[in-house]
Amino acid sequence: MNKHVIINDVGPRDGLQNQPRVLEIHQRVELINALVAAGVPEIEVGAFVSPKAVPAMAGTDKVFAQLKGDTVFSALIPNMRGYQSAKEAGVPLSSLVVAVSNTMNEKNIGMNTDTALVACQGVFAQAQQDNSEVQAYVATAWECPFEGEVSQADVIDVSARLLAIGAKRIVVADTIGAANPANVTSLMNALVEKFGAERFACHFHDTRAMGLANVYAALTAGVRRFDASIAGLGGCPFAPGASGNVATEDVVMMVEQMGFVTGIDMKKLLTASDLAIQLTGTAKGGKAKLWIEKYLS
């Protein structure tokens, strides 16, 4: 069994996009550098979206210009225009988002799922010509805030179509934190059996206090890549009910106590968590943060 778990910290993008306090460019860079210092191997640092729609992501190109190191930095892109902006900024990995539910896509990007997939195809084709990497988030993979429960067959179908048109990887996203370990196990087992574990990552929110349990369920299905957010930051401005992501410090603690390896320095990760709390004024830190601090002291 592969004991290496790769953590992608989405705090600087998903975590900050819905905060009441909009951070300055230098503050966002400071948070990212704290995560780099902790050895977090992958970090989602921003999004190339309309600054009017998401003010917290304005100046993502300026953030990228100040980053250094071997960390895999990524950014969210909504369309071809976003892809071109990311390419100009030197972003090594871009992320498209397609919801399984039509209503979520219409609310988020103004088109239904089929139309969104056609738009994605153009981005993937261009990325292939440019020798660039683009992955895809399959949002509302378990439940949609507008349509309710989502069909597993529909998730498999959207994932298959994205892989067929060139997605580097599929990140299966529990957008509003409605999944539970049983349906996570069911869906991820089906996806892994059909396409292979190496094609998937998981993204969980902790709305119903099941974020860690869902990470565990995906682990048992063979998934070894997970999004997490420093200090539990998170929430989607376009998805009613979405709360913070599962906290990076909690995920690292759990998987390492289970015998997996992340390569992340927990003491330095807690420093990054403290910084996230200080900068935002809203982050509370992982649920295990106080215990981890006592354990390491």
Side-chain angles (χ1 to χ4, degrees), residues 254-269:
M254 184 185 77
V255 300
E256 291 200 340
Q257 287 194 1
M258 291 173 62
F260 293 95
V261 177
T262 66
I264 295 173
D265 185 313
M266 181 59 83
K267 285 186 177 181
K268 292 181 179 179
L269 188 66

Side-chain angles (χ1 to χ4, degrees), residues 252-292:
V252 172
M253 177 202 69
M254 184 185 77
V255 300
E256 291 200 340
Q257 287 194 1
M258 291 173 62
F260 293 95
V261 177
T262 66
I264 295 173
D265 185 313
M266 181 59 83
K267 285 186 177 181
K268 292 181 179 179
L269 188 66
L270 292 181
T271 298
S273 179
D274 289 339
L275 179 60
I277 293 169
Q278 173 194 330
L279 290 174
T280 64
T282 56
K284 297 179 180 179
K287 290 182 172 63
K289 188 170 184 291
L290 288 176
W291 179 87
I292 297 170

Side-chain angles (χ1 to χ4, degrees), residues 50-274:
S50 166
K52 291 183 179 180
V54 191
M57 293 296 100
T60 290
D61 57 336
K62 295 181 176 66
V63 173
F64 266 97
Q66 298 182 48
L67 301 179
K68 298 178 181 179
D70 297 329
T71 306
V72 177
F73 297 117
S74 66
L76 181 142
I77 57 170
N79 48 34
M80 181 66 80
R81 182 177 178 180
Y83 168 76
Q84 294 291 357
S85 296
K87 184 175 179 295
E88 289 171 8
V91 178
L93 175 64
S94 299
S95 303
L96 285 163
V97 180
V98 178
V100 179
S101 67
N102 282 312
T103 307
M104 184 64 187
N105 280 319
E106 288 164 354
K107 296 279 188 180
N108 192 19
I109 56 178
M111 58 184 76
N112 65 26
T113 302
D114 286 337
T115 306
L117 286 165
V118 171
C120 285
Q121 186 168 5
V123 176
F124 287 126
Q126 186 62 52
Q128 187 172 21
Q129 288 183 29
D130 297 337
N131 199 28
S132 298
E133 293 188 338
V134 180
Q135 64 181 5
Y137 277 73
V138 173
T140 62
W142 284 274
E143 188 171 316
C144 169
F146 308 104
E147 297 181 11
E149 187 174 347
V150 171
S151 161
Q152 180 170 299
D154 288 344
V155 180
I156 294 171
D157 176 63
V158 170
S159 298
R161 292 166 73 182
L162 284 165
L163 289 170
I165 60 178
K168 168 185 170 62
R169 182 183 304 114
I170 301 294
V171 185
V172 185
D174 181 20
T175 307
I176 60 172
N180 64 65
N183 58 26
V184 169
T185 299
S186 177
L187 176 60
M188 297 317 300
N189 273 336
L191 288 169
V192 167
E193 182 178 353
K194 190 172 183 65
F195 304 106
E198 71 282 356
R199 307 299 296 274
F200 293 96
C202 283
H203 175 109
F204 295 113
H205 287 252
D206 205 29
T207 311
R208 305 179 190 181
M210 285 191 279
L212 274 184
N214 290 334
V215 170
Y216 175 80
L219 275 170
T220 64
V223 177
R224 294 294 181 267
R225 288 179 171 270
F226 295 92
D227 284 0
S229 183
I230 192 66
L233 285 169
C236 177
F238 308 107
S243 68
N245 296 63
V246 62
T248 306
E249 51 266 46
D250 289 347
V251 175
V252 172
M253 177 202 69
M254 184 185 77
V255 300
E256 291 200 340
Q257 287 194 1
M258 291 173 62
F260 293 95
V261 177
T262 66
I264 295 173
D265 185 313
M266 181 59 83
K267 285 186 177 181
K268 292 181 179 179
L269 188 66
L270 292 181
T271 298
S273 179
D274 289 339

